[in-house]
Amino acid sequence: MQTYPLSMVPGPVSVPEEIRKVYLTDYGSGDFEPEFLELYAKAEANLQIIFGTKNSVVIQSGEAMLALWGALKSCLHPADRVLAIGTGVFGRGIGEMAASIGAEVKAVNWDYNETIGDLARIETAMETFKPRMITAVHCETPSGTLNPLAELGKLKNDLHIPLFYVDAVSSVGGAPVQADQNQIDLCLGGSQKCLSAPPSTCFLSVSDAAWDIIEQVDYAGYDALKPFHFAQNRKYFPYTPDWYGIAALNSGAERILNEGLTRCFERHQHVAEFCRDKLVQMGLTLFPSANAIPSPTVTAVNVPSGNTWPEFDARLRKHGLVVGGSLGPMENKVFRLGHMGSQADKNLVEKALAIIEKIL
Ligand SMILES: *Cc1c(COP(=O)(O)O)cnc(C)c1O
C-alpha cells in the first residue's frame, strides 16, 4: 500500500496518532456494558457542543453517506415534498437521493462555483411548493465553498417548514454550524473530515420535531433512526455498536474542544486564507467565483492551463504530495487542498504549496 508523506486530500484526512491509539485500544465485548453507554453519552455531549445544539445526537456505524440516506428515509413518507437547495455536487445529489426514495423534489440550484444568492428564489419556492423538508449543504466540498445557513433557518422558521436538513459533513468541527440558532432539525456529520477520525462513524443532531416525524414514518432498515430514539434509555442498540469507531470519534471531538471551539474555527479560517493567498500569488486561479464564500476547510483551485489533471497529480505524487481531484463537472478541471481537522495546519499547507510552486 502506498502512502504519501504529505496528505492534503479533503477527507479522509490523516488520523493523528492520539486518535489512532484510541481506535486501536481493545475494548473487549463491550456493546451493552455501562462503559459503552458512558462513552456514547460522552461522545453525544461533545458533539452537541460542536454542533451548537441541545438536540440529541445519534451516532451510527458507517460513513456519512449512511446518515445522509438514513435521515431522508427516516423522515419522508412517499410523495412528501422536498425542496433541495443546490450549489454543487452534494446539494444536487441529496435532491436526487430524495427523489429516488419516492419524494416529490423541487430543486433550486446555483452554479457549482457559487454559494446561495438571491433568497427570494428560495422563499418563493417555499411558499408555492410548501415542502415538508428543505435540504442544503453547508460546505460543498467538491467546489470549496461554504453556504450561509442563518438566512435559510430564518425562512424555515417564518414559513413554518417542518424539517431543515443540512449536510455539514465537511464543515462541522471546522466552521460554526450553530444547528439550534440556524433552526436545523437534522444536521449531519462524518468522522473522517474535521473530526480527524477513521472513516467508520457518522453522526447527526435530531430535533424533537424530527423525532415525532421519525416515529410516524416508522422506517425500518440498517440506516433507520427510529431505533436510536430511546436506545440509551432502553440500553438497546439496533446492531453491535462500533465501540472503536465511537471512541475515536469522541477522541476527535475532545481534541477540538481541548483546543477550544473558537480557536479551532479561527485556525481553519487562518490556514484557508493563507492557502488561498499563496495560490493566487503563484498565479493560480481559485474555482469559487469572486462573490461566492470560500470554505475554511477546503480550497478548490483550477488545474493550471497547459496541464492535464492526471499528469499534474502524478507530478505532485512524485514529490510526496497527494491532493484531491474533484467531482461532477469539475472532474479533471479542479484540484483541492483539504485543510480540515488535522490538516488545518499552516506548516503542512506551506510544505504542500512549496511542492506545487516547484512543479509549476
Ligand atoms: C465527505 C462528504 C460526504 C460524505 O461522504 P463519505 O463518502 O461518506 O465520506 C457528504 N457530504 C459532503 C459535503 C462531504 O464532503
Side-chain angles (χ1 to χ4, degrees):
M1 178 160 154
Q2 196 173 22
T3 55
Y4 295 88
L6 271 174
S7 177
M8 291 298 298
V9 172
V13 302
S14 65
V15 181
E17 194 183 349
E18 65 188 90
I19 298 178
R20 266 182 280 143
K21 271 191 186 148
V22 171
Y23 190 69
L24 292 175
T25 302
D26 182 12
Y27 297 100
S29 77
D31 50 351
F32 305 124
E33 302 299 325
E35 290 81 3
F36 169 72
L37 292 168
E38 239 168 69
L39 168 69
Y40 190 94
K42 198 156 66 170
E44 176 178 28
N46 287 331
L47 294 169
Q48 282 171 321
I49 299 171
I50 294 172
F51 269 136
T53 188
K54 292 195 169 66
N55 292 333
S56 52
V57 172
V58 169
I59 304 166
Q60 295 175 290
S61 295
E63 235 300 300
M65 290 312 301
L66 181 115
L68 260 61
W69 278 110
L72 291 175
K73 291 182 191 170
S74 296
C75 293
L76 295 171
H77 289 102
D80 270 351
R81 285 189 292 273
V82 173
L83 185 74
I85 300 163
T87 63
V89 171
F90 283 99
R92 286 166 172 82
I94 290 165
E96 286 162 15
M97 287 158 64
S100 80
I101 60 167
E104 191 189 329
V105 177
K106 185 179 175 66
V108 180
N109 289 335
W110 276 268
D111 279 346
Y112 289 81
N113 62 348
E114 298 288 346
T115 41
I116 292 166
D118 182 14
L119 287 170
R121 286 184 58 202
I122 296 172
E123 189 170 1
T124 307
M126 283 181 180
E127 279 166 351
T128 55
F129 187 59
K130 301 196 190 325
R132 163 164 281 228
M133 177 190 278
I134 55 171
T135 66
V137 176
H138 194 203
C139 171
E140 264 293 355
T141 327
S143 301
T145 54
L146 191 82
N147 279 307
L149 298 175
E151 293 86 346
L152 296 181
K154 189 173 182 310
L155 282 179
K156 174 239 145 95
N157 206 42
D158 293 351
L159 299 179
H160 309 291
I161 308 295
L163 294 173
F164 184 19
Y165 169 114
V166 174
D167 171 349
V169 175
S170 63
S171 61
V172 63
V177 174
Q178 293 177 309
D180 286 357
Q181 212 171 299
N182 293 329
Q183 316 283 339
I184 302 170
D185 296 280
L186 299 147
C187 196
L188 304 115
S191 54
Q192 51 113 329
K193 302 274 168 82
C194 305
L195 276 291
S196 311
S200 62
T201 57
C202 50
F203 51 96
L204 69 161
S205 69
V206 183
S207 70
D208 290 344
W211 279 126
D212 287 347
I213 290 170
I214 288 163
E215 291 291 338
Q216 284 164 27
V217 169
D218 201 20
Y219 163 66
Y222 181 78
D223 53 358
L225 285 172
K226 191 184 165 196
F228 287 91
H229 194 179
F230 301 110
Q232 290 180 78
N233 291 346
R234 293 179 186 163
K235 303 185 181 18
Y236 190 79
F237 283 70
Y239 43 74
T240 304
D242 175 7
W243 187 326
Y244 302 82
I246 295 171
L249 175 68
N250 182 54
S251 170
E254 281 179 350
R255 198 169 186 262
I256 291 171
L257 296 175
N258 288 340
E259 178 182 7
L261 204 47
T262 308
R263 279 182 62 189
C264 178
F265 295 154
E266 283 168 1
R267 169 168 54 89
H268 282 82
Q269 194 64 43
H270 181 74
V271 169
E273 280 167 19
F274 172 77
C275 182
R276 292 195 299 266
D277 288 351
K278 289 282 176 193
L279 287 163
V280 171
Q281 280 168 24
M282 283 180 209
L284 291 168
T285 57
L286 305 177
F287 174 71
S289 75
N291 54 354
I293 305 163
S295 174
T297 57
V298 52
T299 294
V301 194
N302 294 309
V303 173
S305 58
N307 294 265
T308 67
W309 160 245
E311 71 188 25
F312 186 69
D313 183 37
R315 285 162 68 208
L316 294 177
R317 282 170 192 261
K318 241 184 227 155
H319 288 82
L321 172 63
V322 57
V323 299
S326 193
L327 309 167
M330 289 84 76
E331 192 179 353
N332 289 322
K333 295 181 184 147
V334 167
F335 74 95
R336 295 171 303 155
L337 294 162
H339 33 72
M340 56 182 77
S342 62
Q343 294 170 194
D345 175 333
K346 195 172 164 196
N347 286 331
L348 186 70
V349 171
E350 241 168 355
K351 281 184 199 154
L353 293 173
I355 293 173
I356 294 171
E357 190 159 33
K358 195 163 162 183
I359 71 153
L360 282 177

